[in-house]
Amino acid sequence: MPLNYRLVFLSDIARIIFLPSFVVTVLLAGLSRFNVSDGASGFSYPQLCVIYALSVPSYWICDTLGKRWKAQFEAWRLNVGLIRSIHGKKIGNTDVLQRMAVSMQKEYAGGAIDELLDEAGSDTIQISILGNNKIFTRDPTLYRYVMADGFQNFGKGAGLAIRAATMYGSGVIWVDGPLWKFHRTLTTPYFTRGRLNDLQIFEKHSMALISRMKSLAEADQAMDVQDLIGRAFMDLSCEYVLGVPLDSINGLLPVAGESVLGFRGSRNPNATKSDSSGLTEAFEAGLINMGRRRAQGDFVWRALELFKDSQETPAKISDAWLDPIVDRAFEAKAKGEGMEKDGSETLLQHTVATVEDRKLAKDTVLTVVLSARDTTTSLMTFMLYLLSKHPDVLARLRSEVLDTVGPDAMPSHAQLGSMSYVRAVLNETLRLFPSLPIQEREALHSCVVPTREGSQYIPKGTTVILSTISIHRSQRLWGEDADVFEPQRWIDGGVKESDTSRFMPFLMGPRVCIGKDMALLQATFMMTRLMQHFSNFTLRQAESAPDGALPPASWKSASGRKREEEIWPRSALSMFSKSQSEPARNFDPRLIDMQRSLTVILTLFTVVALFFKDDIMLCLTRTLATRRFAHGAINLTAASMSSKAAGFYTLPELPYAYDLRIMTLQALEPHICKEIMELHHKKHHQAYVNGLNDAEKKYSQASLEEQLTLQAALKFNGGGHINHSLFWKNLAPSSENGGKLVEGNLKDAITRDFGSVDKFKESFNAKTAAIQGSGWGWLGFNPTTKKLEIVTTANQDPLLSHAPIIGIDIWEHAFYLQYRNVKPDYLKAIWNVVNFEEAEKRFADAVKAS
């Protein structure tokens, strides 16, 4: 199940509201200052009400001041500065929160951040909103550190994962840690240049778009290009990722003069939730809700949605469409169908072949489909908008296309790569309207960061909001014409696409957009085909757009691009043209109802939330890190990677000695000798740790192509570290109950699934000894069948399909010095030191997680 934001909210309430009241009760009782039963109280009831009422703001103030003083002390101790703080006029800086919420509805994308920074006269500020520290920045030095150089200190954070859980689950762009690495490793190969060699899929969907546009143009009918392009790329993404034709391009389109505002563009009021238009609108509603939640702040949106999750309705529409597709893929897998290994399998087929968890598989492909669709739709929409306003650029662009490709031919890879002006127009569009205009990260560790003002301290848990669009339009970085659309700047040599100090449309560092090459190739291909078929584009926004889509009249007196825009740029994950149909207002009126009834409603829950707070948060943390990764592989990863310190993995200590001469610890002798243990632990495991650290360091600084070459090293060394960290805990000296399987659930399950413990060992040894070369033998729990099964993996591949209960290393370094090449003797002996107590715990956890 997804992370439950309601439990998190109640836990926050217990901490913020009930905990101060509880402390006051304890203090008053301890002082014996009153006795309510006989009226001899030292305080009257009105006085007690005042005391309890004051306890909550007093706690907030003390908590905020405590955090501030701690940060100041740490900054002083480290001899660095603190990021400049700003303060609103209301308690908790709720006026700043209100301002951000209003900006979400009526401002230019990124405009509120620029206003705050301009007023403070700085490129980076911090502010505490309802006790949560937030940093807003447009400093490229800090941006680079957060996204690349100091990547290990920052992540997406639990807040973003909770916002996304209902609708999008645990896809690659919402999560951190081992689960993110798993997603990244799984999906990256599907966006390499080798995978993109076949341009026919681009041709198919480009020509479908052009055909629809031509029919509208011939009828002299204005069209919503954002809607059309979004449909084309949605169709393309579904076919590429899922192998399913959606054909939304031929669905019911919005009609000029009759359409109404949808969530991210106009829509036909006659469209239904059951057709492709309804599906697309559900996806867009989910993204808008995500943006609104971020603007409101985690505490506020959770309170407003305590009884009604705004993502439930769009999630149901999405699930109704995607669940049958994923189910069919799993059914085909069970029958051995559709599992091609010749490179033609879709990402869905590959995902289903890798994992057993249907929810994880669905989350994986859904996130990729939406990301691929949104990134390129944004780029193409704003490029056509800019071309309609700059006919000279359009003429030159079209001339290059016709000279290079001709009027009708499908472009080749070589031709697409040779058109420098097309690439310049793409880059300039991405500079002014980056597809990912705002990024959010959370400090996973307290750290010192570089900024323009020098080294500064950021406490753990701080949210960092990074404005890519502000950096892309900075006059300090781009000159006085920073707001001007000028593709020529990319031709003259003054600006390079690789200059990540001021140009980062697809982010940077380990989380650089994996679909960057595909997005640029798609956009270049589609723009080439459009230039072959259309000679001009006329903007009809004023006369044809639905009510509410035009920029506010107040923008005409603003500065920069805002003054000249004829569309309303907005942001909800990606950049888009004005969407949301709800009217702009000062603040959500539901806040008034929340403030009036919050105490009454939450008093019923806070006692339980307080006493179970630690259990709730532990459950949520484990869910984020473990629930969705094949029911167990991430559990193992989270445990084995806990030895990671200061950004590097370290060799875990053994819970026993190498040999029996260490009197304070027992050893595995005589079954596993000292020489094997020292070589295995100190040399081989250490080598995997060193290789993993080296690969991760290179990965964080590498280009996309280099990152792809490092995948094998990450998989091999990371798997070696994961497997061996589990292996050491798998063993225990005979004198400490090693090899003893007592009566319990694990023994019962082994007897049920294998007939007896002896038959299980016999079968396990036979299958493991049969491994050709190196690998591992596993007793794993299958979360689908709820049974124990014997599984083998090659090399250092970790067990992903099952929850690992027992793992045995069958590499020669694990046994050769003592047992030579006689694997059966080693496998027979090792059962004398298997830690069945640890296996019993893992089995219980696996059953519970399933």
Side-chain angles (χ1 to χ4, degrees), residues 169-185:
S170 57
V172 64
I173 63 177
W174 316 114
V175 297
D176 294 311
L179 185 53
W180 166 74
K181 290 181 180 180
F182 163 73
H183 278 302
R184 189 87 180 182
T185 302

Side-chain angles (χ1 to χ4, degrees), residues 656-670 672-678 682:
Y656 35 78
Y658 293 119
D659 66 3
L660 292 173
R661 288 177 294 178
I662 308 297
M663 292 295 101
T664 57
L665 290 172
Q666 298 298 313
L668 304 181
E669 292 183 327
I672 306 293
C673 67
K674 169 193 173 184
E675 290 77 11
I676 284 181
M677 291 303 300
E678 287 189 326
K682 291 182 178 179

Side-chain angles (χ1 to χ4, degrees), residues 629-650:
F629 192 20
H631 294 285
I634 288 297
N635 240 336
L636 164 61
T637 306
S640 64
M641 297 309 181
S642 63
S643 58
K644 187 174 185 180
F648 293 92
Y649 298 99
T650 56

Side-chain angles (χ1 to χ4, degrees), residues 512-561:
V512 66
C513 178
I514 57 177
K516 170 186 176 182
D517 288 341
M518 183 175 185
L520 291 173
L521 181 61
Q522 285 178 336
T524 305
F525 188 98
M526 188 167 285
M527 184 53 65
T528 298
R529 290 308 248 160
L530 286 173
M531 291 300 100
Q532 291 174 310
H533 290 270
F534 299 98
S535 59
N536 67 81
F537 298 92
T538 303
L539 189 66
R540 293 186 178 180
Q541 188 78 348
E543 61 268 27
S544 301
D547 293 340
L550 297 177
S554 59
W555 283 19
K556 293 299 181 182
S557 59
S559 58
R561 285 203 61 86

Side-chain angles (χ1 to χ4, degrees), residues 410-429:
M410 185 182 89
S412 65
H413 270 284
Q415 290 170 329
L416 293 172
S418 69
M419 292 185 287
S420 59
Y421 196 70
V422 173
R423 190 58 170 249
V425 173
L426 286 171
N427 286 336
E428 186 68 352
T429 302

Side-chain angles (χ1 to χ4, degrees), residues 359-574:
K359 181 66 167 63
L360 176 62
K362 184 178 74 172
D363 294 347
T364 300
V365 296
L366 175 61
T367 301
V368 173
V369 165
L370 291 182
S371 300
R373 178 248 188 190
D374 271 25
T375 303
T376 320
T377 298
S378 173
L379 170 55
M380 285 292 296
T381 297
F382 286 101
M383 184 157 58
L384 288 175
Y385 164 64
L386 290 168
L387 291 175
S388 71
K389 291 173 64 67
H390 298 272
D392 56 325
V393 175
L394 173 61
R396 181 175 173 182
L397 181 70
R398 189 165 189 266
S399 176
E400 182 182 62
V401 167
L402 296 178
D403 290 345
T404 304
V405 185
D408 301 307
M410 185 182 89
S412 65
H413 270 284
Q415 290 170 329
L416 293 172
S418 69
M419 292 185 287
S420 59
Y421 196 70
V422 173
R423 190 58 170 249
V425 173
L426 286 171
N427 286 336
E428 186 68 352
T429 302
L430 287 168
R431 185 184 71 82
L432 289 175
F433 298 98
S435 298
L436 306 171
I438 306 293
Q439 287 297 303
E440 176 183 341
R441 295 292 185 269
E442 180 180 306
L444 304 179
H445 314 282
S446 297
C447 56
V448 176
V449 301
T451 70
R452 289 186 63 209
E453 287 76 25
S455 297
Q456 297 183 319
Y457 176 77
I458 294 182
K460 177 182 177 180
T462 300
T463 300
V464 184
I465 307 296
L466 307 116
S467 180
T468 308
I469 189 172
S470 301
I471 295 173
H472 280 194
R473 297 186 182 188
S474 168
Q475 291 189 0
R476 180 178 61 81
L477 297 172
W478 294 91
E480 294 183 358
D481 65 344
D483 287 326
V484 177
F485 178 64
E486 182 48 79
Q488 190 61 34
R489 73 176 82 232
W490 300 88
I491 302 293
D492 294 337
V495 180
K496 294 184 178 179
E497 190 176 328
S498 59
D499 184 5
T500 55
S501 66
R502 56 177 175 169
F503 185 63
M504 58 285 289
F506 294 99
L507 314 184
M508 64 172 70
R511 277 192 181 265
V512 66
C513 178
I514 57 177
K516 170 186 176 182
D517 288 341
M518 183 175 185
L520 291 173
L521 181 61
Q522 285 178 336
T524 305
F525 188 98
M526 188 167 285
M527 184 53 65
T528 298
R529 290 308 248 160
L530 286 173
M531 291 300 100
Q532 291 174 310
H533 290 270
F534 299 98
S535 59
N536 67 81
F537 298 92
T538 303
L539 189 66
R540 293 186 178 180
Q541 188 78 348
E543 61 268 27
S544 301
D547 293 340
L550 297 177
S554 59
W555 283 19
K556 293 299 181 182
S557 59
S559 58
R561 285 203 61 86
K562 187 175 179 181
R563 180 176 57 240
E564 65 180 64
E565 297 295 17
E566 297 182 55
I567 60 173
W568 193 330
R570 295 276 293 278
S571 170
L573 181 63
S574 61

